[in-house]
Amino acid sequence: RDQLDIAGQFDKRITAQLAAYSAFNEVIFLQLSESIEDRRKTSGRASIAALKRLQLNHHGEPVAWGNGVTVTIQDLNGLLPQLFPAHFLWPELLRRRSFDDTEIAAYLGIWQDLHDADKQSWAAGEIEPDALPSGGTYPDGFAQNSKVLEWVFADRPAVLADLLQFSDINADFDTNFLNVPNALLESLFTPSVSTGIGDLRKQPQVTMNRVLQLLPQSMRRDNLTISESGKLVVKVEVNMNGAHWRQRRTLRLVASSKPPFEVILNN
């Protein structure tokens, strides 16, 4: 009986894993396809693939994929870039987290020091220390993961949790507000602005001018886009017959290559 129970658990886990694998490949297919034609007779109804494609979004809103499978897609130009502490949205987010201008300058200055190659401190006339109070050393080069961000904000764990959720090491410098997750929109803007951007997402064609009209006059207009970056975080979660499987991949779509995508990170 024990052997049968163990075999049954393995079977359920493999079934959940295969369901995640299938969902991931379906999502990639739908991202790369310009049009979908169902060759079967469907009595005038739209194909299942076409209906699923309509449900997909690039701002991290989970989509039920059927049979206990949930899919989430996040375009990386909708997250804050961990490689660029000088990005204009970092001060905006910290200010909304009750940081004053002096604190913002210090945190972002230290963060920039960790990335640049010289030993000069962000504070005029000072030299970088050997290590941060959190114990992290100065790599003096571009970060490879989120550890640098964790070191800088180690003394603010509640804020750090938000910063990690709202950013990515592979995120672009150019930002598309139409791809920004709802929670981040609410952290950056007033309810009227975040709701307005959410309403724009539901429309088939959106111009940059319509996005700019919603933004506060004080916000910079540089480095904004309404294009897709082609870099996506795809998460698939399966809950099926008592088995659970979760898969997360960061990938770059490259339609001309074989296969037509490149996995940047598989975790």
Side-chain angles (χ1 to χ4, degrees):
R1 188 180 296 112
D2 289 343
Q3 293 296 321
L4 287 173
D5 288 342
I6 293 172
Q9 291 172 11
F10 272 110
D11 181 70
K12 290 177 181 178
R13 190 182 72 176
I14 294 300
T15 301
Q17 186 176 353
L18 289 173
Y21 177 82
S22 296
F24 177 82
N25 283 281
E26 286 176 6
V27 167
I28 300 305
F29 168 75
L30 294 176
Q31 296 301 303
L32 292 169
S33 303
E34 293 184 0
S35 62
I36 300 173
E37 180 184 353
D38 196 335
R39 304 304 293 270
R40 299 169 299 175
K41 295 181 179 180
T42 56
S43 302
R45 296 181 300 172
S47 69
I48 294 175
L51 291 173
K52 284 185 174 181
R53 186 179 186 180
L54 291 174
Q55 296 178 59
L56 291 174
N57 64 80
H58 286 180
H59 57 271
E61 194 69 24
V63 174
W65 211 246
N67 297 325
V69 181
T70 302
V71 169
T72 304
I73 303 177
Q74 175 61 64
D75 192 305
L76 285 178
N77 67 10
L79 298 178
L80 275 66
Q82 292 181 13
L83 284 181
F84 304 108
H87 190 276
F88 72 99
L89 285 180
W90 284 115
E92 295 285 343
L93 182 58
L94 294 178
R95 200 167 288 117
R96 299 274 292 188
R97 287 294 184 272
S98 301
F99 284 64
D100 60 37
D101 289 344
T102 301
E103 290 176 316
I104 292 173
Y107 278 99
L108 296 185
I110 291 171
W111 193 0
Q112 185 64 50
D113 281 348
L114 290 168
H115 282 106
D116 61 37
D118 62 56
K119 295 297 181 181
Q120 298 298 317
S121 170
W122 69 275
E126 297 185 14
I127 301 297
E128 295 174 1
D130 293 329
L132 294 168
S134 59
T137 58
Y138 280 66
D140 291 328
F142 288 116
Q144 303 299 310
N145 52 43
S146 62
K147 284 298 180 184
V148 171
L149 176 62
E150 294 172 22
W151 291 342
V152 175
F153 292 94
D155 61 331
R156 306 290 286 269
V159 174
L160 175 60
D162 279 349
L163 300 187
L164 290 171
Q165 176 188 354
F166 297 150
S167 64
D168 194 278
I169 193 68
N170 294 299
D172 286 355
F173 194 85
D174 289 346
T175 298
N176 183 348
F177 281 123
L178 298 175
N179 289 335
V180 171
N182 290 329
L184 180 52
L185 284 178
E186 293 167 0
S187 297
L188 289 170
F189 301 114
T190 62
S192 62
V193 175
S194 58
T195 300
I197 293 175
D199 291 340
L200 282 182
R201 283 203 262 250
K202 302 173 185 176
Q203 302 180 19
Q205 297 291 333
V206 179
T207 64
M208 175 61 78
N209 188 52
R210 296 190 65 186
V211 176
L212 296 178
Q213 288 174 352
L214 291 171
L215 302 180
Q217 291 298 320
S218 59
M219 177 164 283
R220 285 176 49 183
R221 266 56 175 171
D222 302 338
N223 302 110
L224 295 182
T225 182
I226 56 172
S227 301
E228 305 297 327
S229 71
K231 292 193 295 184
L232 306 173
V233 175
V234 179
K235 301 177 186 176
V236 179
E237 188 165 355
V238 181
N239 288 289
M240 183 183 297
N241 299 324
H244 180 74
W245 184 265
R246 180 181 299 166
Q247 185 170 332
R248 182 183 190 271
R249 289 183 179 178
T250 302
L251 55 96
R252 180 186 291 109
L253 301 180
V254 189
S256 59
S257 69
K258 294 183 180 181
F261 63 91
E262 172 190 2
V263 177
I264 301 173
L265 185 63
N266 191 353
N267 60 350

